[in-house]
Amino acid sequence: MIREFGFPELLFVLEGARWTILLSALAFVCGGALGLAVALARTARSRALRWGATVYIQIFQGTPLLIQLFFVFFGLPLLGLQLNVWLAVTIGLALHASGYLGEIWRGGIQAVPAGQVEAARALGLGYRSAMIDVVLPQALRISLPATVGFLVNLVKGTALAALLGLTEATRAGQLMSNITFEPLRVYSAVGLVYFAICLPLTLWSARLERRLLRRG
Amino acid sequence: MTYQFDFSPLLTYWPELAAGMVQTLRISCIAMVAGLVLGIALTALRMSPSRPLRWLAVSYIELVRNTPFLVQIFFIFFGLPALGLRFDATQAAVLAMSLNCSAYAAEIVRGGVQAVPKGQVEAGRALGLGTADIYRFIVFRPAIRAIYPSLCSQFVLLMLNSSLVAAISAEELTYAAQMIDNRTFRSFEIFAVVGLLYLALSQCLSLVLAAIGRAYFSYPSK
Amino acid sequence: MEQSAAPAIRLEHVSKWFGKLKVLQDVDLTVNRGEHIVLCGPSGSGKSTLIRCINRIEEVQEGRILVDGVELRGDGRNAEDIRRHVGMVFQQFNLFPHMTALENCMLAPRRIHRIGKDEARARAMGHLERVHLADHAQKYPAQLSGGQQQRVAIARALCMNPDILLFDEPTSALDPEMVKEVLDTMVELADAGITMICVTHEMGFARAVAHRVIFMDRGEILESAPPEEFFSAPRHERARTFLGQILNH
C-alpha cells in the first residue's frame, strides 16, 4: 500500500531532526574542545606543535567530510576499533569540526594585539593565565561570527550521516520518500526543516559580524 | 587480531581512481564557471531597483545556503522528475553543484561590489557611462579582486563537496572509491588513499586558481 | 551639441534636501560660455553638492537646471547625454585602479564616442601630453603621486572634449608640494577658454583665473563678485569672517 506524505510522515522527519540537532551539538562540543587545543598548538611557541597543527588543519580542510566519515566508519573497524554508527559519526564530525574551529580560533588569537600578551606577561601572568584571562576572551569575541557561521555548516554536514544509515532528518526523508513515492514534497519538507534550524543561526552570525565591524 | 595493511589491491584499480579524479575536476570546473556566472546574475538581481526581484534573489540565496547540499541533490535527482524535469546522475550532479555554488558566489560577489568605493561609480557616471558599462569596466575587476581569496576557498569547498554526488551514483572519485571498497574490502587503505588524492586535488586547485588570479585580477596597489 | 546662444549653465530656484536637512536653498546662478567661476565657502555650505547637481550625480528636489539650454529631466533620462559634455574632477581623483593612466583616458571615448582604439589612444596621449604626463601613460594609479593622479584625472575628463569642466576641491586631498602642479595645469586650461566651475579655497588661483568668485554658506549664494572686489571689500558679514579664517591660516 502506498502511503501519502501526511502529518505522521512529517512527524517522522521532525523526529529525525531531533537527532540532527543532538548530533550537531555533540560534534560542536567535542570538536570545540579539540579545536581549542588545535588553535593553541597552531599559535604555540614550539615549531613542532605549530607544524603538527598546520598539517592537521590542512588534512581536515583539504579532504571531503564524506571521505572523513567513511574512513572512520569503514576504515577504523578494520584496525579492531568496533564503533557503532552513532559513535563513528560523532567522532568523524567532531574531528572535522576541530580542524575548522581550530583555524577560525587561530585567526582570532592572532587578531588579538601582541601588546595584550606582553602586558599580561609583564604583570607576571603565566602562559595559562595570560591565555585564559586575557587572550582567549578577546579572541573568542573576534571569532564568534565565524564560529556561529561554521555551526551552520556543521548542522548541514550532519546530513551526511544519512549515507551511513543513521536516521537523522535526511535519512528520515529518504525513508519517507521510499514509502510515499513523493520525493518532491518530502525533500522540500526536509529542506525546510534544515532551513528552520539554520536560518536563525545565519542571521545571528550576520548580526554578530555587523556588531563587531561597528565596534571596529 | 592485527590488521595487515595491504595497498596492493589499489594498484589494480588505478585507472578507475585516475578517471574518478578527472571526472571530479571536470564537474567541479563546470560548476565553478556556471556558479560564478549565475552568482553574478543573482547579485545583479539583488541590487536591482525592483523590490520583488531583490526579494526573489535573497530568498533563493538564503534557501540554498541554509539547507544541506545532500538534500539539494536528492531534491533535484529524485524530486524534480515529478515536475517532468528528468536528469541522469551526472547532469543532476552538475546542476546541483552549479546552483549550490551560485548562492555562495552571489553572497561573496556582493561583498566585492560593496568594497568598491562609491567614487568609482560616480567617476564613471560623470564620464557619461551607462550602468552596464560602469559595472562591466569599472566595478567588475576591483570587486572580484577584493573577494578573490574567499571565492577560491569556496571553489575548493565545492570540489570537496562534489564527493556527495556519489550518493546518486554520479561517477567521480568518491564513487570510484566506494566501488573499489565493495570489491576489495580494503576500506582503511582505500579511504586513506582517496583522502590523500582529494588533498592533492585541493592543493593543486588552490595553486591554479591563485595563478589565474595573478594573471587576470591583479594590478599594482598601494 | 549645437552651439547656441544659451548660457553654459543656468540654475533657477534650485533647492535640495538630504533627508530633513536643506542643503541648497533657492539657488539662482547663470554661468556664461568661457566663464571661470570659483565657488568658495565654509565646509558644509553646499558648494560641492551644487556642482554635483549640475551633472546630476545628485538629484535636486526643486527648481530647474539647464546645461547648454537643455533642461535636466527629473527622471534623469537625459543625464548621460548631459554628462558627456560636462567633465568632472574629484577631490579623491577617483582614477580606476585597475587601468593604466592611458586606459583611464581611453575608456569613455571608446565606449561613448565609439571611436577606434588607435584614435582613442592618440586622443588620450594628446591630453596626457597637455598635463605633462605622456611619460607616465603606462603606469597604474598606485604608481603615481597624488598630483600626477589628479592631472591624469583632468586628462581623462578632457578626453571627452567637454564644453564645461567641474572641479570639486581638486587640491584638498594633495600634499602641499603637489598643489602647485595641479593648479598650474588648471590655469593652462583656463587660458584655453573652457568654461570652468571650481570649488576651491585656493585664493591665489581665484585671483589668477576667476571671472567671478561666488561665496556660499548654509546652502545659499550670499555673494557673487569679481575676485578683486570680493577679496578687497566683501559685502557680506559671513564672507568677511570666512576670508579672515582662510587668509590668516
Side-chain angles (χ1 to χ4, degrees):
Chain A
M1 188 191 82
I2 295 177
R3 283 165 65 173
E4 241 184 71
F5 185 65
F7 186 69
E9 289 72 23
L10 180 64
L11 215 57
F12 186 76
V13 171
L14 286 174
E15 268 171 39
R18 267 197 338 214
W19 303 121
T20 293
I21 292 171
L22 182 63
L23 198 55
S24 308
L26 270 175
F28 187 72
V29 171
C30 302
L34 200 53
L36 186 61
V38 173
L40 290 176
R42 185 67 185 69
T43 53
R45 196 165 298 171
S46 147
R47 183 190 291 261
L49 273 180
R50 284 206 310 268
W51 189 83
T54 306
V55 172
Y56 184 90
I57 291 169
Q58 278 293 322
I59 288 175
F60 286 102
Q61 293 200 342
T63 58
L65 171 58
L66 185 59
I67 296 293
Q68 294 162 21
L69 292 178
F70 280 171
F71 183 78
V72 173
F73 187 62
F74 297 118
L76 292 187
L78 296 181
L79 302 188
L81 282 167
Q82 287 309 321
L83 304 171
N84 72 26
V85 63
W86 262 95
L87 202 54
V89 171
T90 307
I91 291 174
L93 284 170
L95 288 172
H96 177 78
S98 70
Y100 277 85
L101 290 174
E103 177 66 6
I104 290 171
W105 293 340
R106 190 268 315 159
I109 290 172
Q110 288 181 343
V112 175
Q116 293 289 313
V117 185
E118 286 161 16
R121 300 313 279 265
L123 287 171
L125 298 180
Y127 173 82
R128 224 181 120 83
S129 174
M131 272 294 164
I132 294 175
D133 297 321
V134 179
V135 177
L136 287 180
Q138 300 183 56
L140 194 68
R141 196 180 70 94
I142 295 168
S143 39
L144 196 55
T147 305
V148 176
F150 177 74
L151 181 55
V152 175
N153 282 342
L154 195 60
V155 173
K156 292 184 287 179
T158 60
L160 272 57
L163 301 180
L164 303 183
L166 197 156
T167 308
E168 41 60 77
T170 305
R171 177 92 184 118
Q174 281 183 303
L175 295 173
M176 287 306 103
S177 172
N178 288 344
I179 59 168
T180 62
F181 293 100
E182 289 190 86
L184 192 68
R185 291 177 66 188
V186 174
Y187 289 121
S188 301
V190 172
L192 286 177
V193 167
Y194 280 101
F195 187 71
I197 301 172
C198 293
L199 188 69
L201 292 171
T202 300
L203 295 176
W204 184 32
S205 167
R207 218 182 68 193
L208 287 170
E209 186 151 2
R210 276 198 304 276
R211 193 182 301 169
L212 197 65
L213 283 176
R214 258 207 312 278
R215 286 188 195 159
Chain B
M1 179 189 97
T2 52
Y3 184 72
Q4 296 293 315
F5 290 110
D6 185 3
F7 288 89
S8 58
L10 288 185
L11 284 175
T12 332
Y13 290 101
W14 76 263
E16 280 80 359
L17 288 176
M21 281 172 83
V22 170
Q23 191 63 5
T24 287
L25 275 181
R26 238 186 76 197
I27 57 177
S28 301
C29 288
I30 298 173
M32 278 174 218
V33 175
L36 181 59
V37 171
L38 281 175
I40 291 170
L42 276 170
T43 308
L45 275 189
R46 197 174 179 170
M47 292 167 36
S48 85
S50 146
R51 184 188 289 259
L53 285 182
R54 287 203 304 268
W55 190 86
L56 199 70
V58 172
S59 308
Y60 173 82
I61 292 168
E62 292 306 334
L63 212 53
V64 171
R65 287 184 352 119
N66 289 290
T67 51
F69 181 42
L70 187 61
V71 175
Q72 295 162 14
I73 296 172
F74 287 164
F75 181 84
I76 287 174
F77 189 64
F78 298 117
L80 287 190
L83 301 178
L85 294 164
R86 244 163 243 289
F87 308 100
D88 70 33
T90 304
Q91 288 168 338
V94 171
L95 183 64
M97 287 168 68
S98 306
L99 292 178
N100 182 268
C101 182
S102 71
Y104 291 93
E107 187 66 13
I108 295 172
V109 169
R110 186 177 68 116
V113 172
Q114 285 172 341
V116 175
K118 240 179 63 195
Q120 293 285 306
V121 176
E122 285 179 359
R125 283 168 62 193
L127 285 167
L129 292 166
T131 307
D133 273 3
I134 287 175
Y135 279 97
R136 181 170 157 206
F137 293 105
I138 297 173
V139 175
F140 180 71
R141 261 181 52 175
I144 295 290
R145 183 175 112 136
I147 45 88
Y148 196 71
S150 335
L151 201 57
C152 291
S153 320
Q154 193 57 52
F155 284 163
V156 170
L157 218 53
L158 173 75
M159 191 274 288
L160 296 176
N161 276 338
S162 74
S163 61
L164 297 196
V165 305
I168 53 169
S169 303
E171 288 179 32
E172 42 67 75
L173 185 51
T174 301
Y175 183 78
Q178 285 179 305
M179 188 268 296
I180 300 168
D181 182 42
N182 288 339
R183 291 190 197 161
T184 63
F185 302 108
R186 289 277 162 191
S187 309
F188 185 93
E189 290 90 335
I190 179 72
F191 291 119
V193 166
V194 168
L196 286 177
L197 291 179
Y198 271 110
L199 197 57
L201 281 181
S202 58
Q203 299 287 341
C204 290
L205 188 60
S206 296
L207 286 176
V208 171
L209 288 173
I212 292 174
R214 273 194 303 279
Y216 291 101
F217 296 107
S218 75
Y219 47 85
S221 63
K222 293 232 171 77
Chain C
M1 161 164 294
E2 279 291 298
Q3 292 285 311
S4 62
I9 299 167
R10 199 170 155 69
L11 279 75
E12 297 173 357
H13 306 294
V14 168
S15 292
K16 176 174 175 61
W17 288 260
F18 281 134
K20 283 188 177 163
L21 183 69
K22 196 167 185 184
V23 287
L24 292 179
Q25 312 214 26
D26 199 27
V27 170
D28 273 302
L29 173 68
T30 303
V31 180
N32 295 313
R33 272 171 212 294
E35 198 176 13
H36 308 142
I37 304 267
V38 162
L39 254 177
C40 64
S43 59
S45 58
K47 49 201 192 314
S48 287
T49 306
L50 181 68
I51 66 165
R52 287 161 65 88
C53 289
I54 293 172
N55 66 352
R56 211 178 191 281
I57 286 186
E58 303 280 357
E59 285 174 52
V60 300
Q61 281 91 17
E62 268 176 24
R64 306 207 305 155
I65 297 178
L66 293 92
V67 176
D68 274 326
V70 178
E71 182 171 355
L72 269 168
R73 287 171 44 166
D75 58 6
R77 294 292 281 278
N78 63 348
E80 277 169 28
D81 298 330
I82 300 271
R83 288 179 192 134
R84 284 166 196 184
H85 46 110
V86 180
M88 182 152 187
V89 175
F90 298 84
Q91 182 178 0
Q92 298 295 340
F93 330 135
N94 293 346
L95 289 181
F96 308 132
H98 55 301
M99 301 181 194
T100 61
L102 184 65
E103 288 164 346
N104 262 280
C105 293
M106 287 168 62
L107 177 66
R110 289 208 63 194
R111 297 302 300 172
I112 294 163
H113 295 159
R114 294 276 166 195
I115 60 175
K117 213 172 191 163
D118 294 337
E119 194 187 342
R121 178 180 289 120
R123 190 193 286 185
M125 284 308 292
H127 287 296
L128 284 170
E129 191 93 52
R130 197 166 165 186
V131 299
H132 314 293
L133 283 173
D135 295 344
H136 297 77
Q138 298 303 336
K139 289 191 181 165
Y140 285 88
Q143 297 166 323
L144 297 169
S145 73
Q148 290 170 329
Q149 289 189 59
Q150 193 59 299
R151 285 188 283 147
V152 172
I154 293 172
R156 178 174 73 180
L158 291 174
C159 282
M160 287 299 288
N161 302 327
D163 305 317
I164 301 162
L165 267 182
L166 307 172
F167 291 87
D168 187 5
E169 307 207 28
T171 57
S172 346
L174 294 176
D175 293 333
E177 70 271 19
M178 293 169 186
V179 170
K180 189 175 176 305
E181 63 184 70
V182 171
L183 289 179
D184 286 348
T185 305
M186 290 164 62
V187 171
E188 286 169 32
L189 284 177
D191 291 343
I194 196 163
T195 310
M196 283 171 54
I197 303 183
C198 183
V199 175
T200 184
H201 291 166
E202 296 293 338
M203 292 305 141
F205 172 78
R207 274 183 216 278
V209 306
H211 298 117
R212 262 193 298 160
V213 176
I214 290 177
F215 176 75
M216 282 183 79
D217 193 17
R218 295 175 205 167
E220 283 180 287
I221 291 184
L222 295 181
E223 194 157 345
S224 168
E228 53 277 15
E229 201 179 310
F230 179 72
F231 289 119
S232 57
R235 285 189 301 268
H236 204 283
E237 171 65 38
R238 277 186 255 165
R240 277 196 290 277
T241 315
F242 172 74
L243 278 175
Q245 278 165 357
I246 61 164
L247 295 177
N248 292 332
H249 115 121

